[in-house]
Amino acid sequence: MRKFATTILLLTCVFSLKAQTSVSFQHLGNATFQNNLINPSLIPEGKFFLGLPVLSGLHVNMNNKFSYNEGFTVESDRTLIDVPKIIGNLQNQNTVTAKAGINLLHVGYKLKSGALLSFVANERVEADFLYPKEVVEYVFTDGNNEFLNQDVKISKVGLIAQHFREFGLGIAAPINEQLTVGLRGKFLVGFANASLAGNTTAILNSNGEAFQIDAEWENATLRTSGFDIYDETEGDLGSHLVMNGNTGLALDIGGTYKLNRYYTLTGSIVDLGYINWKENIKSYTLNDTSFNYSGVNLEELDNIQQTLEDSLFSKFETTDTFEPYRSWLPVTAYGSWIYHYSPKTDIYVTVGSRWIQRQFKMMYGGGVTQKFGKAFTGSISVTKLPQQFFNAGAAFAVKGGPVQMYMAVDHLINFSIPDAKAIDFRFGISFAFQGRQEQATSGLSRTPIAGAKGLDTNVFLGKKVKTKKRDGIYSIIKKQKRRELKNKRTKAKDDVQKKSLNGRTGKKNTKGGE
């Protein structure tokens, strides 16, 4: 328990990762099959889609309130922790999140109706830790002089960290010319989990010169599953990672609604689900307790773990239980307003949110997506992520025959490893095979109007023509030859006149022969 709690606190203070970006990737619209994973209503162009393990999708994300250089200094061969500087960079409420995902397989097939049937399998590792600034101030302030003889309430502390695999069956179908909906049901298999039962609250009181602390806890139960199996002290790790009793269900939903030829609304909610943890369960509940504590004095990064265990976690008293439990996935939602400036240019405004243990984490973005022919789509975005200032991102998808490659990166400006505060990276290579008569039924760009003549259809008076350029709502074509138009009545009259003339001519010839 002490070792695990130390690891969690170290992640909080040292790495502070956060996963909630992918704005630039979101702005690619339906350019790739992988975009269907964040909005199940998006139907990519193509007939058959195939993604191979690992190569078809990699996702790594991090976000930090402060960079490595803002929290640590190097003197000679030692790495020193600058606790006051770290505390100075924190907000009142902070979130630590790490996220990585691998696409194991995806298969998609588009029906004649335009509906997309799909199967996906993904490996996911995610961790979210929510904490107020007071936690770090109280733990790492030497002597706790700032909190002497007063009650300190620490609330909104949450944790969920897990490794799981998902298998999903989905369908995206156009309901009519304006509305497309998508739905994906997922079966989950969990491998490891650590989570708090709810938002943990603590009331701490430091009394007298001896710094005796009275601690009262609420919802302070840390539930774990699978860690002994990973340490190989219990069970078989190989069989555990294939299939086990930790299972659950989840649902992804999405919608795309075309207001008109110029405006489209899209929205999605993913990971509405849970996992029931039944194997290798160990839960630790903190008991109300009193102990002497004079703070943690940190200097070097090398001895931080032992220092925390000796100075802090050894003083906690816990009650251990082994009951199965259920954990809920953090829910992610996206919504976009799209203005179709031209058939190849879209302007996006996006809002996203992640619901983590009863707390919302918001992000915002805007960008431009441009199509260059049929082979290349690119986007440039400006994003506002939680705990960050405005920054930029970019994404592209390129096709060469059936092979398609995409890459998306958020938080590009002033990026370097020691100074990095956030980054979101996606990359993948997969296959998209076109059908004989591929028709865009759910594209987010300004698409042809079914049954229309002329505008955006390259058809003029029933014949195909080449469009030289477009000017607003007008299509500029080459000058066409004048054609004679005759209605049915005129044509019938001409036929009667011809027959009458032929009849008279025949009579004259007959008389002449006599």
Side-chain angles (χ1 to χ4, degrees), residues 27-199:
H27 290 174
L28 284 178
N30 67 327
T32 72
F33 178 90
Q34 287 81 351
N35 288 98
N36 179 269
L37 300 180
I38 58 178
N39 187 337
S41 70
L42 297 180
I43 303 178
E45 296 180 1
K47 184 69 174 179
F48 179 74
F49 309 90
L50 176 64
L52 300 179
V54 183
L55 186 64
S56 58
L58 297 172
H59 180 207
V60 178
N61 177 282
M62 81 169 195
N63 178 310
N64 192 0
K65 179 59 181 172
F66 57 91
S67 68
Y68 180 86
N69 283 340
E70 290 176 338
F72 304 92
T73 58
V74 178
E75 293 183 3
S76 301
D77 57 345
R78 298 190 307 166
T79 301
L80 304 181
I81 304 172
D82 193 338
V83 175
K85 200 171 183 179
I86 291 176
I87 294 176
N89 280 281
L90 295 179
Q91 301 179 144
N92 291 331
Q93 188 66 30
N94 303 272
T95 306
V96 180
T97 306
K99 191 174 184 179
I102 298 175
N103 182 223
L104 299 177
L105 177 69
H106 73 247
V107 179
Y109 181 77
K110 188 183 296 184
L111 305 177
K112 292 182 179 180
S113 63
L116 175 70
L117 302 179
S118 63
F119 170 80
V120 298
N122 297 302
E123 197 84 2
R124 297 171 58 178
V125 179
E126 302 176 355
D128 295 277
F129 183 66
L130 301 90
Y131 67 99
K133 184 177 182 180
E134 288 84 359
V135 170
V136 182
E137 289 178 327
Y138 202 92
V139 171
F140 293 110
T141 300
D142 189 15
N144 291 293
N145 292 319
E146 297 180 12
F147 306 101
L148 188 61
N149 296 320
Q150 60 177 299
D151 289 337
V152 177
K153 183 177 181 180
I154 298 175
S155 59
K156 294 184 178 181
V157 178
L159 168 70
I160 179 167
Q162 54 194 349
H163 172 203
F164 65 98
R165 185 177 302 138
E166 63 180 10
F167 303 91
L169 287 174
I171 181 171
I175 304 302
N176 51 45
E177 293 181 1
Q178 291 180 291
L179 177 64
T180 301
V181 297
L183 184 69
R184 178 165 42 247
K186 299 189 291 189
F187 176 74
L188 312 178
V189 180
F191 305 119
N193 174 270
S195 59
L196 293 173
N199 285 329

Side-chain angles (χ1 to χ4, degrees), residues 12 21 33 57 70 131-132 165 192 194 205 215 220 223 247 286 325 339 344 364 387 402 407-408 413 419 441 448 493:
T12 304
T21 55
F33 178 90
E70 290 176 338
Y131 67 99
R165 185 177 302 138
N205 182 275
R223 310 169 300 181
T247 59
L286 289 176
Y325 63 93
Y339 169 57
K344 295 185 179 298
Y364 310 91
Q387 307 183 131
M407 182 183 295
I413 298 178
D419 296 317
T441 56
K493 186 176 180 180

Side-chain angles (χ1 to χ4, degrees), residues 421-460:
K421 292 186 178 182
I423 189 172
D424 184 271
F425 175 78
R426 290 178 181 264
F427 173 82
I429 299 176
S430 56
F431 300 92
F433 299 91
Q434 301 295 324
R436 293 183 178 180
Q437 295 181 346
E438 177 63 26
Q439 181 180 356
T441 56
S442 62
L444 296 184
S445 299
R446 191 191 299 178
T447 53
I449 302 176
K453 301 296 182 182
L455 185 61
D456 282 352
T457 60
N458 295 333
V459 175
F460 181 73

Side-chain angles (χ1 to χ4, degrees), residues 188-300:
L188 312 178
V189 180
F191 305 119
N193 174 270
S195 59
L196 293 173
N199 285 329
T200 298
T201 300
I203 298 177
L204 308 176
N205 182 275
S206 301
N207 299 314
E209 296 181 358
F211 301 107
Q212 179 176 334
I213 293 179
D214 295 324
E216 298 180 6
W217 309 94
E218 182 180 347
N219 294 327
T221 299
L222 177 63
R223 310 169 300 181
T224 69
S225 172
F227 284 91
D228 288 341
I229 298 178
Y230 275 71
D231 291 339
E232 297 184 353
T233 58
E234 183 178 321
D236 179 68
L237 181 60
S239 60
H240 181 74
L241 293 178
V242 175
M243 181 58 69
N244 59 67
N246 302 323
T247 59
L249 300 173
L251 185 68
D252 299 343
I253 58 177
T256 300
Y257 185 75
K258 297 181 180 180
L259 298 174
N260 51 47
R261 296 187 61 246
Y262 295 97
Y263 300 102
T264 297
L265 298 177
T266 68
S268 64
I269 301 176
V270 298
D271 292 335
L272 283 165
Y274 61 89
I275 299 177
N276 292 320
W277 300 93
K278 301 177 181 179
E279 298 192 3
N280 189 218
I281 305 298
K282 290 186 179 180
S283 298
Y284 311 88
T285 300
L286 289 176
N287 302 325
D288 293 346
T289 185
S290 297
F291 56 89
N292 293 330
Y293 177 66
S294 58
V296 177
N297 185 13
L298 296 176
E299 291 185 356
E300 297 186 30

Side-chain angles (χ1 to χ4, degrees), residues 30-32 44-46 49 374-377 396-405 432 434:
N30 67 327
T32 72
E45 296 180 1
F49 309 90
K374 297 182 179 180
F376 187 89
T377 301
F396 72 86
V398 60
K399 299 178 182 178
V403 181
Q404 183 179 61
M405 182 183 74
Q434 301 295 324

